[in-house]
């Protein structure tokens, strides 16, 4: 088994996964069902199909089928930028002086700069197959909107993106990438929707939030003929599509006899973490192997480490189904934090259930320490990481340094979800020592948690 391990492991095209893996099939305690916000009854495929594409609604509610075929057209799109490399961080190990072996799965090698393209192409494909004209969505930091724009351009679908106003203004180049791919980008809240007008009236001058942009995108989808809404994280269908990350990683590890002791991912809505760990978790759930899984979140938006496990609204406008998840309350507005992709109040119901069952552990980290880790990583490994991804880097480095103390030769695998070229304002703040570490007080969290729906 002891093949020489290359710096970068790329699978052959013939070794790439042809099915996604649905971890819910192997979970004894299934994630709680989505509920209709009006009746509090479990959502049916028919109800969900008013908002989502039909096949995606089916995937959303399927907690039994372990493997789902990846359609041929998606496989060929994946081949444009996949397999993604599994990199042995030899240089980082040397810089840290650790006996640990560190690997990362790098998802930043596509124009959208993140893993989000894996689900964007799948969601656009099913919309096209259903004969729809287009899709609507929200984007916070901009990665999801970019990925969806690329996927829609490829398939010839119309794409309407509601972009959180503060990002629209601060990240003009993200916006232009989306427009270059043909998307129609509107800053949110906007006066193009009822919910947007209502929020603008109540909070004039607001710079927007993800929850608010979701409400606008959903309103446009359900009120426009031939449109559906798509979402880049949190949903179980997104975790399913992102399982391609974990499957490729597992095939590569098995090929070279690599056995990770711990698997680490940053957690915003939980999709990259869920996708990376899914097949490994499947082995753990079936009693075939054991791994330690660590979710890393920002101290400024600590859904797993300080939230509650309860049914909550997924959006500010309260138009989406209720989901049972670890949440800080849908009214929680995280402080200015530069990892925009990690600023969501809730968490995937799959990741939430696994965490509640003690199968995943979680840690929160402060952003200055995240940027210190990001900078050190960039200098030795070459890649300029996204702030979101750097949360995982930080904990991987902490764990590698623990191994240095104990002399343990642990194998650490983490998800490097993307690159940070559009986050240079954040890096600038860090370089100028102007970055702050805001941690919400217990009172603040209690206040937003007290607004959870009660029934
Ligand atoms: C969106 C994003 C994340 C967080 O989203 P998850 O659904 O939790 O994976 C992490 N990293 C990058 C680069 C992102 O764009």
């Amino acid at each position: 088994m002891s093949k020489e391990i290359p710096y970068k492991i790329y699978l052959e095209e013939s070794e790439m996964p042809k099915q996604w893996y649905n971890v819910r099939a192997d979970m004894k305690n299934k994630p709680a069902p989505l509920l209709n916000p009006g009746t509090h009854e479990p959502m049916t495929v028919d109800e969900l199909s008013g908002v989502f594409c039909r096949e995606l609604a089916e995937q959303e509610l399927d907690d039994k089928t372990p493997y789902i075929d990846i359609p041929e057209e998606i496989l060929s799109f994946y081949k444009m930028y996949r397999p993604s490399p599994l990199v042995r961080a030899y240089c980082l190990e040397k810089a840290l002086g650790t006996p640990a072996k560190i690997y990362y799965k790098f998802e930043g090698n596509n124009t959208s700069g993140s893993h989000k393209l894996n689900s964007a192409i799948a969601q656009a494909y099913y919309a096209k197959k259903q004969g729809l004209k287009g899709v609507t969505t929200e984007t916070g930091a901009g990665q999801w909107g970019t990925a969806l724009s690329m996927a829609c351009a490829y398939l010839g679908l119309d794409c309407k993106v509601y972009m959180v106003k503060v990002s629209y203004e601060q990240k003009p180049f993200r916006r232009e990438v989306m427009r270059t791919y043909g998307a129609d980008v509107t800053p949110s809240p906007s006066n193009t929707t009822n919910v947007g007008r209502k929020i603008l009236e109540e909070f004039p001058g607001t710079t927007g939030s993800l929850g608010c942009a979701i409400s606008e995108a959903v309103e446009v989808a359900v009120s426009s003929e031939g449109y559906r809404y798509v979402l880049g994280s949190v949903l179980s269908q997104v975790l399913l599509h992102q399982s391609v990350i974990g499957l490729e990683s597992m095939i590569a590890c098995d090929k070279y006899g690599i056995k990770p002791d711990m698997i680490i991912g940053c957690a915003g809505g939980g999709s990259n973490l869920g996708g990376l760990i899914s097949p490994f978790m499947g082995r753990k759930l079936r009693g075939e192997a054991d791994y330690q899984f660590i979710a890393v979140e920002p101290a400024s938006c600590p859904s797993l480490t300080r939230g509650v496990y309860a049914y909550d609204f997924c959006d500010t406008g309260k138009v989406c189904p209720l989901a049972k998840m670890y949440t800080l309350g849908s009214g929680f507005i995280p402080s200015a934090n530069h990892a925009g992709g990690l600023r969501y109040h809730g968490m995937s119901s799959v990741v939430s259930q696994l965490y509640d069952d003690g199968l995943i552990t979680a840690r929160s980290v402060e952003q200055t320490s995240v940027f210190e880790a990001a900078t050190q990583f960039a200098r030795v490994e070459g890649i300029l990481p996204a702030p979101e991804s750097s949360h995982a880097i930080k904990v991987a480095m902490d764990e590698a340094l623990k191994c240095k103390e104990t002399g343990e030769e642990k194998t650490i695998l983490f998800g490097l979800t993307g690159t940070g070229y559009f986050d240079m304002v954040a890096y600038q703040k860090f370089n100028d020592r102007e970055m702050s570490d805001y941690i919400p007080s217990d009172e603040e969290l209690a206040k937003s948690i007290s607004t959870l729906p009660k029934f």
Side-chain angles (χ1 to χ4, degrees):
M1 285 300 268
S2 64
K3 271 186 211 162
E4 177 92 27
I5 296 176
Y7 262 71
K8 286 188 182 168
I9 305 174
Y10 282 104
L11 298 180
E12 304 288 335
E13 234 171 72
S14 60
E15 296 169 314
M16 284 169 66
K18 297 194 173 46
Q19 295 177 309
W20 292 302
Y21 170 64
N22 180 8
V23 70
R24 288 170 290 170
D26 282 309
M27 288 170 68
K28 235 190 287 153
N29 298 328
K30 305 289 183 197
L34 293 173
L35 299 185
N36 180 309
T39 64
H40 297 166
E41 290 295 317
M43 293 290 285
T44 61
V45 170
D46 279 342
E47 285 174 310
L48 277 182
S49 300
V51 183
F52 300 127
C53 306
R54 182 103 202 160
E55 272 191 77
L56 292 167
E58 284 165 6
Q59 290 179 358
E60 192 59 34
L61 300 187
D62 185 346
D63 59 13
K64 299 206 172 52
T65 315
Y67 289 94
I68 294 177
D69 286 341
I70 306 175
E72 209 49 56
E73 205 162 348
I74 299 177
L75 282 176
S76 53
F77 186 87
Y78 279 171
K79 281 179 195 160
M80 291 199 304
Y81 70 100
R82 309 200 67 83
S84 71
L86 179 69
V87 185
R88 173 78 184 266
Y90 283 114
C91 302
L92 180 63
E93 288 170 19
K94 194 162 155 229
L96 296 175
T98 176
K101 300 180 184 70
I102 308 173
Y103 293 87
Y104 58 89
K105 180 73 167 161
F106 179 48
E107 291 291 319
N109 267 340
N110 68 74
T111 298
S112 82
S114 81
H115 66 285
K116 292 203 170 68
L117 194 54
N118 300 330
S119 184
I121 185 62
Q123 298 194 45
Y125 167 82
Y126 290 114
K128 179 83 180 174
K129 192 176 164 205
Q130 192 173 324
L132 298 175
K133 273 191 232 147
V135 290
T136 72
T137 199
E138 76 296 326
T139 197
Q143 289 97 311
W144 167 246
T146 312
L148 188 68
S149 307
M150 288 175 70
C152 287
Y154 180 75
L155 294 169
L157 277 173
D158 189 30
C159 180
K160 293 188 198 300
V161 181
Y162 282 84
M163 185 170 189
V164 177
K165 193 181 273 167
V166 61
S167 307
Y168 184 90
E169 284 159 4
Q170 284 181 356
K171 294 187 166 188
F173 292 155
R174 270 263 175 235
R175 181 180 82 209
E176 289 317 314
V177 178
M178 287 184 249
R179 293 180 62 212
T180 302
Y181 280 95
D184 173 27
V185 188
T186 308
S188 167
S190 75
N191 56 19
T192 64
T193 63
N194 290 327
V195 64
R197 283 187 290 270
K198 193 164 150 240
I199 290 168
L200 282 174
E201 215 166 274
E202 238 177 286
F203 308 98
T206 175
T207 52
S209 72
L210 211 47
C212 164
I214 295 176
S215 304
E216 290 204 89
V218 171
E219 182 182 319
V220 172
V222 299
S223 60
S224 316
E225 174 84 29
Y227 283 79
R228 290 293 185 282
Y229 167 71
V230 295
L231 178 62
S233 180
V234 187
L235 296 172
S236 301
Q237 58 185 273
V238 182
L239 261 73
L240 173 73
H241 307 147
Q242 295 297 355
S243 70
V244 69
I245 304 172
L247 290 162
E248 279 184 10
S249 303
M250 200 164 79
I251 295 167
C253 284
D254 288 354
K255 184 171 171 182
Y256 287 93
I258 301 161
K259 197 196 156 294
D261 295 295
M262 57 177 70
I263 305 179
I264 301 167
C266 62
S271 76
N272 86 82
L273 172 79
L276 172 66
I277 70 174
S278 273
F280 296 98
M281 180 63 79
R283 282 185 174 166
K284 178 164 170 148
L285 291 166
R286 296 188 301 269
E288 298 163 8
D290 198 14
Y291 309 93
Q292 186 189 353
F293 300 104
I294 308 176
V296 190
E297 57 186 14
S300 58
C301 190
S303 346
L304 288 170
T305 50
R306 294 175 70 197
V308 293
Y309 192 30
Y311 270 103
D312 194 8
F313 298 103
C314 295
D315 61 322
T316 315
K318 306 180 179 178
V319 295
C320 292
L322 295 166
K324 188 175 178 193
M325 56 186 175
Y326 273 85
T327 178
L328 300 168
S330 63
F332 181 73
I333 310 247
S335 68
N337 168 295
H338 293 292
L342 304 182
R343 294 185 65 201
Y344 187 63
H345 67 274
M347 182 59 62
S348 140
S349 61
V350 175
V351 169
S352 293
Q353 184 61 46
L354 291 167
Y355 178 65
D356 202 57
D357 287 338
L359 293 159
I360 299 179
T361 57
R363 268 179 229 176
S364 71
V365 289
E366 293 168 28
Q367 67 174 346
T368 306
S369 66
V370 166
F371 277 82
E372 274 161 12
T375 303
Q376 194 175 355
F377 181 85
R379 290 180 186 176
V380 295
E381 288 291 321
I383 296 169
L384 183 84
E388 291 88 350
S389 325
S390 305
H391 287 67
I393 297 177
K394 162 69 179 151
V395 169
M397 285 172 57
D398 286 350
E399 288 298 321
L401 290 172
K402 274 188 212 159
C403 290
K404 184 175 176 177
E405 275 170 32
T406 62
E408 283 175 290
E409 294 181 22
K410 284 192 181 166
T411 298
I412 300 169
L413 165 62
F414 73 89
L416 187 66
T417 50
T419 47
Y421 304 119
F422 288 107
D423 300 284
M424 296 325 289
V425 171
Y427 276 95
Q428 182 185 8
K429 286 246 158 59
F430 174 73
N431 292 331
D432 290 342
R433 296 192 164 57
E434 283 171 3
M435 187 165 269
S436 57
D437 288 319
Y438 184 80
I439 302 177
S441 67
D442 289 342
E443 292 71 40
E444 261 173 273
L445 292 184
K447 196 170 153 217
S448 66
I449 287 169
S450 72
T451 64
L452 290 180
K454 292 175 190 70
F455 55 90

